[in-house]
Amino acid sequence: MKPFNPGRRFFMAGTAAVTGLLTLPGRGFADSALFPVVETAQGRLRGAHAAGITSFKGIRYGAPTSGANRFMPAQPVEPWAGVKDALYFSHAAPQMPNGRAFAYGDLIVFDRHPSGLGEDCLAINLWTPTLDANAKKPVIFVIHGGGYYGGSGNSFGMDGEEMARYSDSVVIAVNHRLGAFGFAHLAEFDDRFARSGAVGMMDIVSALAWVKENVAQFGGDPDRVLVYGQSGGGAKTSTLLAMPGAEGLIHRAGVMSGSALRSRTADDGTAAAERLLRELEIPTNELHRLQDLPFTRILEAQATLEAADRALGEAPTSFAPVIDGEAIVRHPFDPDAPAISHNVPMVISTALDERTYRMPNFDLSDEGLMAYARRRAGDHAEDAVAMYRAEDPDASPHLIQARIDTDLSFRRSAFRQAELKASAGGAPVWTYLWKWPSPAFGGRYGAVHGIDVGLSLHSVRGGLTGASAESLMMADRIASSWAAFAATGNPNNDEVPDWPEYTSPERATMIFDTEMSVEYDPRAEIREFWQSIES
């Protein structure tokens, strides 16, 4: 089945649609050819029109989160008179500053957050090919990666202009609270902070509610909203699918290299919050003092805790969504797929060499690989290495190491999520495995974590992919699949082979590589090997 065929014809279609603003009373060119104005439920916004796409940046869906609003559910935006400019980004959520010392971070431009950090961060950025309120274009709502601690919808990799043009869709990137500001679970100490361990996720729900109320005015269809993200964005999407507040706001969902099966328990969340309070020297009965501190002081405390953990060889203290019994009522996909998203179709994916981004030992020796395999497979280490080498005789020890770690982390969770979604019945699920390697640094990263992010938004200007005929071909393939999925709830389209639904035990999986194919239960021997060791 190939129900959708996006292509470059949408550039002309999008340009024509925006040009059509000339005939729409009270819209767009009635105000300005370059800076059209749109009426939202909260007030009028001025965007910017260029090359067939109109962008609106920094649209607030919630009030600033400083002071009394810190650790609280998002407060509504006060309606305004006149016209507000939506020409520049909001703050990115407070987070640890990042530099350019690491090659992978440099490739994904993780250090850049236009407009800087701050607590006026509850905003979306929107790109649209038309401002016709009757157009009902699909809506692609992208959640940025960076775990629960970093990243932003303002970032280089979240730019939606090219995808809006290519897919003829409204594309939206969201900012929300991160780290302790979004997920410090303070409920056990003071009822006023009952939702504090979930407010970062509640922010995204508030943004989706804004979409439901307003996106038609920007040419979008509020009943065709695809929510997807990679890494932390995939984990947040997984969590949203189990949140009562998000029910009915998501009509298709995509999880790229970020399948989250469980949320933080209240006990674990409380323990992390207690450590933060001790570092800040704030008693548990004086939580109001947290709202008076500069946000930089809270970030410094987070950094101190993480450094102390690393010095002891322990996993660093982190803040993540907490089951609070109201906003987040259960684990996302444990013990089963959430019933409230039973009718939401999904696409779930991983990349072959995810973990190279966290493994900089590119010159790993055969002896080093075997030592690593013993830590993961014990007495079965030699069998494990032989199996990976048989799969790909040309793979370096470094890539084999990364594939082992990827199979035991990203892929294990993705398998489980897909199995649970498929076994639940209801809407279907499709899966893909990305094998096309990054050309960066001579290909040393392989098919690394994040390789498909820019391409999914039909962008080839990122360092991981480079701009070439081959990268553009891969962008056409994956972006067309997301475009089709947004439009129809099915990723099939003319750019890829027929893509069957994922079912067990067939496990049909699309392989994204130079040569596209569908494989049934790909790498089954490896999956079964690790399952046998753990059983």
Side-chain angles (χ1 to χ4, degrees):
M1 177 182 181
K2 298 184 184 300
F4 184 81
N5 183 23
R8 302 191 196 289
R9 68 182 183 276
F10 285 111
F11 174 81
M12 297 305 298
T15 303
V18 177
T19 304
L21 288 167
L22 283 165
T23 64
L24 294 176
R27 286 287 183 84
F29 285 86
D31 299 290
S32 166
L34 294 179
F35 302 105
V37 173
V38 169
E39 185 87 35
T40 73
Q42 292 74 37
R44 288 184 290 166
L45 290 170
R46 179 182 289 113
H49 175 72
I53 299 298
T54 307
S55 65
F56 294 81
K57 296 174 181 175
I59 302 174
R60 270 51 172 195
Y61 64 84
T65 60
S66 55
N69 287 346
R70 189 181 285 167
F71 305 113
M72 297 295 173
Q75 299 303 300
V77 174
E78 291 294 329
W80 63 88
V83 178
K84 274 192 176 183
D85 284 338
L87 304 175
Y88 41 84
F89 295 113
S90 70
H91 290 151
Q95 59 194 272
M96 307 298 183
N98 285 284
R100 299 186 60 184
F102 300 99
Y104 177 82
D106 208 32
L107 288 169
I108 63 172
V109 200
F110 200 57
D111 59 304
R112 293 294 179 93
H113 299 292
S115 294
L117 307 181
E119 292 184 274
D120 187 8
C121 61
L122 301 189
I124 62 167
N125 306 312
L126 182 152
W127 296 263
T128 180
T130 178
L131 294 178
D132 180 355
N134 298 310
K136 293 189 177 296
K137 302 293 185 182
V139 178
I140 300 175
F141 183 99
V142 186
I143 306 177
H144 67 79
Y148 296 109
Y149 62 88
S152 81
N154 304 346
S155 65
F156 179 85
M158 292 292 101
D159 188 290
E161 178 184 337
E162 176 58 19
M163 186 59 167
R165 179 178 296 113
Y166 177 77
S167 67
D168 198 33
S169 301
V170 177
V171 180
I172 296 170
V174 64
N175 287 311
H176 62 91
R177 281 173 283 183
L178 299 163
F181 300 91
F183 306 109
H185 186 61
L186 305 167
E188 306 304 319
F189 314 127
D190 189 329
D191 289 344
R192 291 175 298 174
F193 296 84
R195 304 279 80 78
S196 61
V199 293
M201 290 304 309
M202 294 174 69
D203 291 346
I204 304 175
V205 173
S206 295
L208 287 168
W210 184 96
V211 170
K212 184 74 172 178
E213 183 176 33
N214 290 294
V215 80
Q217 299 302 105
F218 296 84
D221 184 349
D223 296 318
R224 281 195 298 170
V225 178
L226 162 62
V227 176
Y228 87 101
Q230 186 267 350
S231 192
K236 296 162 201 168
T237 301
S238 300
T239 302
L240 285 168
L241 291 172
M243 291 180 66
E247 187 174 7
L249 301 178
I250 303 171
H251 309 103
R252 305 88 160 86
V255 177
M256 301 164 59
S257 303
S259 296
L261 306 180
R262 294 178 61 83
S263 291
R264 189 70 57 87
T265 65
D267 287 346
D268 288 342
T270 299
E274 284 179 326
R275 288 194 66 198
L276 179 69
L277 291 171
R278 284 197 298 271
E279 179 60 31
L280 292 169
E281 298 182 338
I282 293 179
T284 58
N285 63 347
E286 296 183 20
L287 294 189
H288 64 277
R289 290 171 52 189
L290 281 171
Q291 298 175 314
D292 298 328
L293 293 174
F295 75 80
T296 51
R297 177 68 189 97
I298 296 174
L299 289 176
E300 288 169 351
Q302 285 185 224
T304 300
L305 294 178
E306 291 184 11
D309 290 336
R310 288 193 175 95
L312 295 173
E314 298 176 355
T317 295
S318 62
F319 295 91
V322 175
I323 297 175
D324 67 349
E326 183 170 319
I328 302 176
V329 297
R330 54 159 286 165
H331 293 296
F333 281 81
D334 185 46
D336 55 10
I340 62 171
S341 54
H342 184 74
N343 294 321
V344 176
M346 292 184 68
V347 172
I348 299 171
S349 75
T350 57
L352 183 62
D353 306 306
E354 304 270 10
R355 290 297 277 184
T356 56
Y357 83 116
R358 289 279 179 91
M359 293 180 162
N361 56 338
F362 300 104
D363 59 352
L364 183 71
S365 65
D366 288 338
E367 292 75 15
L369 171 60
M370 190 59 68
Y372 175 81
R374 288 192 187 98
R375 292 196 297 273
R376 307 310 301 265
D379 294 340
H380 301 279
E382 291 186 3
D383 293 336
V385 172
M387 180 176 57
Y388 281 90
R389 282 186 168 143
E391 178 193 34
D392 184 356
D394 297 327
S396 66
H398 175 259
L399 282 180
I400 291 175
Q401 169 195 244
R403 286 175 191 172
I404 290 173
D405 201 67
T406 300
D407 286 329
L408 291 172
S409 55
F410 289 97
R411 196 125 45 241
R412 173 190 284 163
S413 297
F415 273 137
R416 181 63 177 160
Q417 188 175 46
E419 292 283 327
L420 290 169
K421 178 64 175 175
S423 65
V429 57
W430 291 265
T431 67
Y432 75 79
L433 173 60
W434 189 278
K435 287 189 175 182
W436 186 74
S438 168
F441 293 100
R444 72 183 187 185
Y445 288 102
V448 65
H449 192 63
I451 179 65
D452 47 350
V453 173
L455 301 179
S456 290
L457 291 172
H458 205 255
S459 174
V460 296
R461 66 180 183 177
L464 280 184
T465 63
S468 67
E470 190 165 278
S471 64
L472 183 59
M473 175 182 71
M474 298 307 298
D476 284 347
R477 291 169 173 178
I478 186 62
S480 66
S481 299
W482 286 119
F485 192 50
T488 70
N490 186 320
N492 275 282
N493 69 94
D494 288 343
E495 295 286 344
V496 300
D498 186 66
W499 189 346
E501 298 171 10
Y502 181 99
T503 57
S504 185
E506 293 81 10
R507 301 187 176 95
T509 302
M510 182 66 74
I511 307 299
F512 277 88
D513 204 344
T514 307
E515 297 296 326
M516 297 287 292
S517 64
V518 171
E519 294 184 17
Y520 290 86
D521 201 2
R523 309 176 76 243
E525 180 185 6
I526 291 173
R527 175 180 58 80
E528 292 167 355
F529 172 83
W530 292 116
Q531 288 176 343
S532 68
I533 287 180
E534 295 169 354
S535 60

